[in-house]
Amino acid sequence: MNVTLRQIRAFLAVAELGRFNLAASALGLTQAAVSLLIKDLELELGVRLFDRHTRKVNLTDIGIDFLPQARKAMEDLDLATRNVRERALLKKGRVTVASSIIFSATTIPALIDRFLEQHPGISVGLRDMPEEEIRPALLRNEADIALGTLLDDDPEIASLPVSKDRLTLICRADHPLAARQALGWADLADQPLIVLAQDNPLRQIVERTMIGVAPEFLPAYDVRFSTTAIGMVAAGLGVTVLPENSMELTAAAGVCSVALTDPVITRNICVMEHKWRSLSPPAERLKEILLAAFPETVPSAP
């Protein structure tokens, strides 16, 4: 069936005003154009919707039945188009950002606050999660954008490196290594090292580096969250390697950081999104704010 919006609008105007000329004036059309629209609509439906009289038209019984349905169809369409316009103008909508545990506790809250100051009608969700869960969350459409580490190229994820952070040793303040200005990774070979979960990109970076300097390396513990690793360090169960910004979470834990050199290891912090799914206007705007927080993007590897 090929019923058009113009036909429905013409039908509603004639039904409400009772005259073709009044409907034509309200719609900004000629009376002949409105008559043709109604005629085409009746031909398409196969029924007469109006009884024509010399000076007035009345709805037929079928026209009376059709009227509330036509009104609802137009109201639903108007609501849908209004919602789309408001989302395009960033007046309403929702955006969800996924982030690693550390960034969720340090970087992301202030950026969400900045976004909401500019766009108070938008609802923002934060999914704080281990690094290894960020990619699946994007693929399952549970987040629009993400901030974290993508270790290798992924055909399903578009990532833009925006910064680097350096890996550092976290140990108790009274640990013998705490007095050192810097350490080589080989100095960790005989330490009980607390690492993150197997699929975490940071775990993979740490293991690759440690095996390079100590082929027999085995971790003492593996945990899911960086905050758990810090707590275990504070309890004297070992040392851990985390990004430098994790020190923002350790003020009350009685731990300190020591620079790791030979080699110096950094990781790319990336803003990520699903490669084959377009961002909504609110998500696009939040992405802009994330990128603005890191003014110098990291050049991609050749």
Side-chain angles (χ1 to χ4, degrees), residues 16-34:
E16 291 166 1
L17 297 173
R19 304 264 306 263
F20 278 88
N21 62 335
L22 295 179
S25 178
L27 295 172
L29 299 173
T30 65
Q31 183 172 333
V34 172

Side-chain angles (χ1 to χ4, degrees), residues 38 96 114 120 136 151 180 191 233 290:
I38 297 299
T96 301
R114 188 179 309 165
L151 192 58
R180 302 275 293 274
Q191 297 294 324
V233 169
L290 286 177

Side-chain angles (χ1 to χ4, degrees), residues 180-299:
R180 302 275 293 274
Q181 292 294 316
L183 297 167
W185 285 75
D187 294 324
L188 307 184
D190 60 350
Q191 297 294 324
L193 191 60
I194 302 162
V195 298
L196 300 182
Q198 185 66 50
D199 293 334
N200 191 297
L202 181 57
R203 160 73 173 268
Q204 298 176 45
I205 294 172
V206 171
E207 281 199 333
R208 289 178 188 177
T209 307
M210 284 302 301
I211 291 172
V213 298
E216 303 301 320
F217 162 76
L218 288 173
Y221 304 96
D222 61 357
V223 297
R224 191 177 184 196
F225 301 111
S226 52
T227 47
T228 304
I230 292 170
M232 294 180 72
V233 169
L237 296 174
V239 300
T240 191
V241 175
L242 292 174
E244 284 179 309
N245 66 348
S246 64
M247 286 303 296
E248 296 181 43
L249 306 178
T250 64
V255 302
C256 65
S257 68
V258 182
L260 283 171
T261 60
D262 193 23
V264 173
I265 300 297
T266 62
R267 63 171 189 163
N268 282 338
I269 301 167
C270 301
V271 172
M272 295 175 276
E273 62 189 272
H274 197 302
K275 184 176 289 187
W276 309 118
R277 189 174 69 244
S278 298
L279 293 179
S280 66
E284 192 68 56
R285 178 59 185 141
L286 182 56
K287 177 184 174 182
E288 291 173 0
I289 289 178
L290 286 177
L291 293 177
F294 302 94
E296 296 184 7
T297 57
V298 178

Side-chain angles (χ1 to χ4, degrees), residues 32-189:
V34 172
S35 296
L36 182 60
L37 287 170
I38 297 299
K39 178 181 178 182
D40 289 343
L41 176 60
E42 291 177 328
L43 287 173
E44 188 66 37
L45 296 176
V47 294
R48 182 179 288 276
L49 298 172
F50 293 101
D51 287 326
R52 279 79 165 170
H53 303 286
T54 304
R55 303 186 65 178
K56 190 173 177 62
V57 293
N58 295 318
L59 287 165
T60 64
D61 288 345
I62 292 180
I64 292 172
D65 291 340
F66 183 58
L67 179 59
Q69 300 173 58
R71 281 178 175 156
K72 185 177 187 308
M74 292 307 303
E75 289 170 358
D76 289 345
L77 180 61
D78 288 342
L79 177 62
T81 54
R82 185 164 60 251
N83 285 338
V84 169
R85 289 195 188 101
E86 289 179 346
R87 292 184 66 184
L89 296 173
L90 297 176
K91 292 183 177 180
K92 67 184 299 184
R94 178 175 176 82
V95 57
T96 301
V97 57
S99 175
S100 66
I101 302 298
I102 293 175
F103 285 126
S104 294
T106 58
T107 304
I108 295 295
L111 299 182
I112 292 177
D113 182 63
R114 188 179 309 165
F115 176 88
L116 291 176
E117 284 182 355
Q118 300 174 16
H119 309 290
I122 306 295
S123 172
V124 180
L126 172 60
R127 298 290 308 278
D128 53 337
M129 58 184 61
E131 293 266 12
E132 65 272 18
E133 295 184 9
I134 291 177
R135 177 185 180 276
L138 287 171
L139 296 182
R140 291 194 300 263
N141 298 339
E142 295 173 358
D144 300 293
I145 55 177
L147 184 67
T149 301
L150 190 65
L151 192 58
D152 301 306
D153 289 338
D154 190 310
E156 298 295 321
I157 302 297
S159 66
L160 177 63
V162 292
S163 184
K164 286 182 180 289
D165 59 3
R166 179 172 171 173
L167 301 191
T168 186
L169 176 72
I170 307 294
C171 63
R172 274 175 57 122
D174 58 1
H175 192 283
L177 295 180
R180 302 275 293 274
Q181 292 294 316
L183 297 167
W185 285 75
D187 294 324
L188 307 184

